[in-house]
Coordinates of all heavy atoms in Angstrom, one line a residue:
Y34 N 93.7 61.3 135.3 CA 93.5 62.8 135.4 C 94.8 63.5 135.8 O 95.7 63.0 136.5 CB 92.4 63.1 136.4 CG 91.1 62.8 135.9 CD1 90.4 61.6 136.3 CD2 90.4 63.3 134.8 CE1 89.2 61.1 135.8 CE2 89.3 62.9 134.3 CZ 88.7 61.8 134.8 OH 87.5 61.3 134.3
P35 N 95.0 64.7 135.3 CA 94.2 65.4 134.2 C 94.3 64.8 132.9 O 95.4 64.1 132.7 CB 94.7 66.8 134.4 CG 96.2 66.6 134.8 CD 96.1 65.4 135.7
Q36 N 93.5 64.9 132.1 CA 93.7 64.3 130.7 C 94.4 65.4 129.7 O 95.1 65.2 128.8 CB 92.3 64.1 130.1 CG 91.8 62.8 130.7 CD 90.3 62.7 130.4 OE1 89.7 63.8 130.1 NE2 89.7 61.6 130.9
Q37 N 94.1 66.7 130.2 CA 95.0 67.8 129.4 C 95.5 68.8 130.4 O 94.9 69.2 131.3 CB 94.1 68.3 128.5 CG 93.4 67.5 127.3 CD 92.6 68.1 126.4 OE1 93.0 69.0 125.6 NE2 91.3 68.2 126.5
I38 N 96.8 69.1 130.1 CA 97.3 70.3 130.9 C 97.7 71.4 129.8 O 98.2 71.2 128.8 CB 98.7 69.8 131.5 CG1 98.5 68.5 132.4 CG2 99.4 71.0 132.3 CD1 99.7 67.7 132.8
M39 N 97.0 72.5 130.2 CA 97.1 73.6 129.4 C 98.1 74.7 129.9 O 97.9 75.1 131.1 CB 95.8 74.2 129.5 CG 95.0 74.1 128.2 SD 93.3 74.9 128.4 CE 93.5 76.5 127.6
V40 N 99.1 74.9 129.1 CA 100.0 76.1 129.6 C 99.8 77.3 128.8 O 99.6 77.1 127.5 CB 101.5 75.5 129.5 CG1 102.4 76.7 129.7 CG2 101.7 74.2 130.2
V41 N 99.6 78.3 129.6 CA 99.2 79.5 128.7 C 100.1 80.7 128.8 O 100.7 80.8 129.8 CB 97.8 80.1 128.9 CG1 96.7 79.1 128.5 CG2 97.7 80.4 130.5
S42 N 100.4 81.5 127.7 CA 101.2 82.6 127.7 C 100.2 83.8 128.2 O 99.1 83.6 128.2 CB 101.7 82.8 126.4 OG 102.6 82.1 125.9
A43 N 101.0 84.8 128.4 CA 100.3 86.2 128.7 C 99.6 86.5 127.2 O 99.9 86.1 126.3 CB 101.3 87.3 128.9
F44 N 98.4 87.3 127.5 CA 97.7 87.8 126.3 C 98.7 88.5 125.4 O 99.7 89.2 125.9 CB 96.7 88.7 126.7 CG 95.6 88.1 127.3 CD1 94.6 88.7 128.2 CD2 95.4 86.7 127.4 CE1 93.4 88.2 128.7 CE2 94.4 86.0 128.1 CZ 93.4 86.8 128.7
A45 N 98.5 88.4 124.1 CA 99.4 89.1 123.2 C 99.8 90.4 123.6 O 99.0 91.2 124.1 CB 98.7 89.2 121.8
K46 N 101.0 90.8 123.4 CA 101.6 92.2 123.7 C 101.9 92.3 125.1 O 102.6 93.3 125.5 CB 100.7 93.3 123.1 CG 100.5 93.4 121.6 CD 100.1 94.7 121.3 CE 98.8 94.6 120.5 NZ 98.1 95.9 120.4
T47 N 101.3 91.6 126.1 CA 101.4 92.1 127.4 C 102.8 92.0 127.9 O 103.1 93.0 128.6 CB 100.5 91.1 128.3 OG1 99.0 91.1 127.8 CG2 100.4 91.5 129.7
T48 N 103.5 91.0 127.6 CA 104.9 90.9 128.2 C 105.6 92.2 127.7 O 106.4 92.7 128.5 CB 105.6 89.6 127.9 OG1 104.7 88.5 128.2 CG2 106.8 89.3 128.5
N49 N 105.6 92.4 126.5 CA 106.2 93.7 125.9 C 105.8 94.9 126.6 O 106.7 95.7 127.0 CB 106.0 93.9 124.4 CG 106.8 92.7 123.7 OD1 107.7 92.1 124.2 ND2 106.4 92.5 122.4
L50 N 104.6 95.0 126.9 CA 104.1 96.2 127.6 C 104.6 96.3 129.1 O 104.9 97.4 129.5 CB 102.5 96.2 127.6 CG 101.9 96.5 126.2 CD1 100.4 96.2 126.1 CD2 102.1 98.0 125.7
L51 N 104.7 95.2 129.7 CA 105.2 95.0 131.1 C 106.6 95.5 131.1 O 107.0 96.3 132.0 CB 105.0 93.7 131.7 CG 103.6 93.2 132.0 CD1 103.5 91.7 132.2 CD2 103.0 94.0 133.2

Side-chain angles (χ1 to χ4, degrees):
Y34 289 104
Q36 288 156 349
Q37 300 184 72
I38 300 163
M39 248 176 104
V40 175
V41 297
S42 288
F44 290 167
K46 292 198 232 163
T47 307
T48 309
N49 287 346
L50 291 168
L51 288 167

